[in-house]
């Protein structure tokens, strides 16, 4: 089954952070890579919304993730304000309709492109908070990205794959730089959704969410400490082991979109910013 494959030794890895609709920025970065045929990575790791953006990148569907996000922001079946206190505001199961009907995902191409260059979706086991680095197959690809994006309180909180419950991958390992280095990575590119100068510390919203969500105690602790764990990963990025190079692409300032997006204009502005940052990175890399 997907997820049980032996981890192939990594060398050059891309990690794409999550962040709800802030993924519009990372989508722009990855579309810039598509435009310039910049695909030097032997392994790909996506967390939460980042796993969705990477899926479209790996299926060679330029612009598809951006179009999907515009569709989601307007879709009542996705954002359900009437169920915010019961099933969660965001109906992630709607991704099945997107992937199979409304904007078909090219599973064949994605599977071919990841046969020798694996794709890992970061999940968090709901009962004990342990991060799982899941290699999806066609039969569970959509389930894996739904699971990786399932934030307690904001969504149904848990999604099952093979009778195991998983929650948002960012809770278990928000930026898995240490994991990829431990598996052999020597060059890592992290595509972030927050500026490089983001301040460390707990966020009141995360503390509040941890108190009211219906989740295991371990998961509640990880929700409360999410920002702290992000900055532990950033500290590792800034002081990598000897012989390891870690680059970052990040927005120059706080994005217009957040976990939620209010308007299509916000998505478009953040997408264009990501597109420019992606092009700048490719041109700089090719010059060096």
């Amino acid at each position: 089954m997907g997820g049980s494959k032996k981890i192939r030794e990594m060398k050059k890895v891309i990690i794409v952070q999550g962040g709800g609709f802030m993924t519009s920025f990372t989508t722009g970065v990855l579309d810039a890579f598509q435009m310039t045929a910049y695909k030097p990575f032997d392994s790909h790791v996506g967390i939460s919304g980042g796993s969705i953006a990477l899926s479209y990148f790996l299926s060679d569907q330029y612009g598809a993730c951006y179009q999907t996000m515009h569709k989601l922001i307007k879709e009542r079946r996705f954002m359900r304000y009437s169920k915010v206190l019961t099933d969660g505001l965001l109906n992630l199961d709607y991704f099945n309709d997107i992937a199979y009907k409304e904007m078909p995902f090219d599973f064949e191409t994605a599977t071919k492109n990841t046969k020798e260059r694996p794709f890992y979706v970061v999940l968090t086991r709901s009962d004990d908070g342990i991060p799982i680095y899941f290699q999806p197959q066609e039969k569970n690809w959509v389930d894996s990205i739904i699971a990786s994006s399932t934030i307690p309180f904001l969504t149904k909180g848990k999604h099952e794959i093979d009778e195991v419950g998983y929650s948002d991958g960012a809770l278990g390992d928000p930026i898995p730089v240490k994991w990829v280095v431990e598996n052999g990575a020597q060059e890592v590119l992290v595509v972030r959704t927050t500026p490089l100068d983001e301040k460390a510390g707990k966020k009141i919203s995360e503390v509040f969410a941890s108190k009211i969500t219906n989740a295991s105690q371990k998961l509640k602790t990880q929700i409360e400490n999410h920002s702290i764990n992000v900055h532990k990963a950033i500290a590792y990025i800034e002081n990598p082991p000897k012989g390891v190079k870690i680059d970052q692409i990040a927005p120059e300032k706080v994005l217009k979109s957040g976990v939620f997006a209010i308007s299509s204009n916000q998505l478009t502005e953040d997408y264009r910013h990501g597109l420019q940052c992606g092009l700048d990175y490719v041109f700089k890399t090719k010059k060096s």
Side-chain angles (χ1 to χ4, degrees):
M1 71 178 189
S4 63
K5 300 176 185 177
K6 182 179 179 181
I7 296 173
R8 187 189 301 268
E9 185 177 9
M10 304 173 181
K11 295 297 181 185
K12 190 162 187 172
V13 183
I14 182 171
I15 297 173
V16 181
Q17 188 182 15
F21 281 98
M22 289 187 288
T23 303
S24 55
F25 172 81
T26 53
T27 296
V29 173
L30 294 175
D31 273 356
F33 289 180
Q34 293 267 33
M35 290 168 60
T36 54
Y38 184 74
K39 298 187 176 184
F41 313 105
D42 60 47
S43 297
H44 312 79
V45 184
I47 310 96
S48 194
S51 67
I52 301 172
L54 260 180
S55 292
Y56 282 109
F57 174 71
L58 292 167
S59 66
D60 296 335
Q61 290 178 271
Y62 174 84
C65 189
Y66 175 61
Q67 294 174 46
T68 295
M69 296 184 77
H70 274 281
K71 184 171 184 61
L72 290 176
I73 199 175
K74 301 173 183 177
E75 181 54 64
R76 291 184 178 180
R77 286 174 291 172
F78 179 66
M79 301 187 74
R80 307 168 303 178
Y81 294 98
S82 63
K83 295 192 175 184
V84 66
L85 297 178
T86 54
D87 298 327
L89 173 64
L90 305 180
N91 175 24
L92 297 182
D93 290 328
Y94 178 60
F95 284 151
N96 281 297
D97 288 346
I98 291 283
Y100 291 103
K101 298 176 183 178
E102 300 186 22
M103 193 168 291
F105 180 68
D106 189 344
F107 290 102
E108 183 178 352
T109 297
T111 300
K112 181 185 69 175
N113 286 341
T114 55
K115 186 175 181 180
E116 299 297 329
R117 300 184 173 198
F119 174 42
Y120 300 91
V121 179
V122 182
L123 312 176
T124 303
R125 267 204 319 242
S126 301
D127 60 349
D128 58 14
I130 292 176
I132 302 296
Y133 308 93
F134 191 89
Q135 290 182 257
Q137 299 175 356
E138 180 173 347
K139 66 179 181 179
N140 52 32
W141 197 300
V142 176
D143 278 324
S144 72
I145 64 173
I146 289 175
S148 187
S149 305
T150 302
I151 309 170
F153 179 63
L154 292 179
T155 69
K156 59 185 178 179
K158 180 172 69 174
H159 187 79
E160 290 192 354
I161 304 175
D162 297 327
E163 300 182 351
V164 177
Y166 298 101
S167 298
D168 194 306
L171 299 177
D173 196 346
I175 310 177
V177 281
K178 187 176 181 181
W179 177 75
V180 301
V181 170
E182 288 173 346
N183 282 282
Q186 298 172 349
E187 295 182 58
V188 184
L189 172 62
V190 179
V191 183
R192 289 175 50 181
T193 48
T194 55
L196 296 178
D197 61 355
E198 182 189 32
K199 294 181 180 179
K202 285 188 179 182
K203 292 183 178 179
I204 294 175
S205 59
E206 292 169 345
V207 175
F208 175 72
S210 72
K211 304 301 182 187
I212 64 174
T213 188
N214 181 23
S216 67
Q217 186 55 51
K218 179 63 176 176
L219 214 57
K220 287 184 177 184
T221 300
Q222 287 175 315
I223 295 169
E224 181 175 344
N225 293 326
H226 173 254
S227 291
I228 291 175
N229 291 331
V230 168
H231 284 277
K232 285 181 179 178
I234 292 171
Y236 185 91
I237 291 170
E238 293 173 346
N239 296 280
K242 186 177 180 180
V244 175
K245 179 186 177 185
I246 303 179
D247 285 340
Q248 299 182 77
I249 297 177
E252 296 174 358
K253 56 185 178 180
V254 175
L255 295 172
K256 299 292 185 181
S257 307
V259 175
F260 309 110
I262 298 173
S263 72
S264 293
N265 288 339
Q266 289 179 328
L267 287 179
T268 299
E269 187 171 340
D270 290 343
Y271 171 79
R272 289 176 176 171
H273 183 33
L275 200 65
Q276 187 60 59
C277 287
L279 290 172
D280 289 345
Y281 180 81
V282 172
F283 294 146
K284 180 184 72 174
T285 300
K286 288 185 176 181
K287 281 184 178 180
S288 61

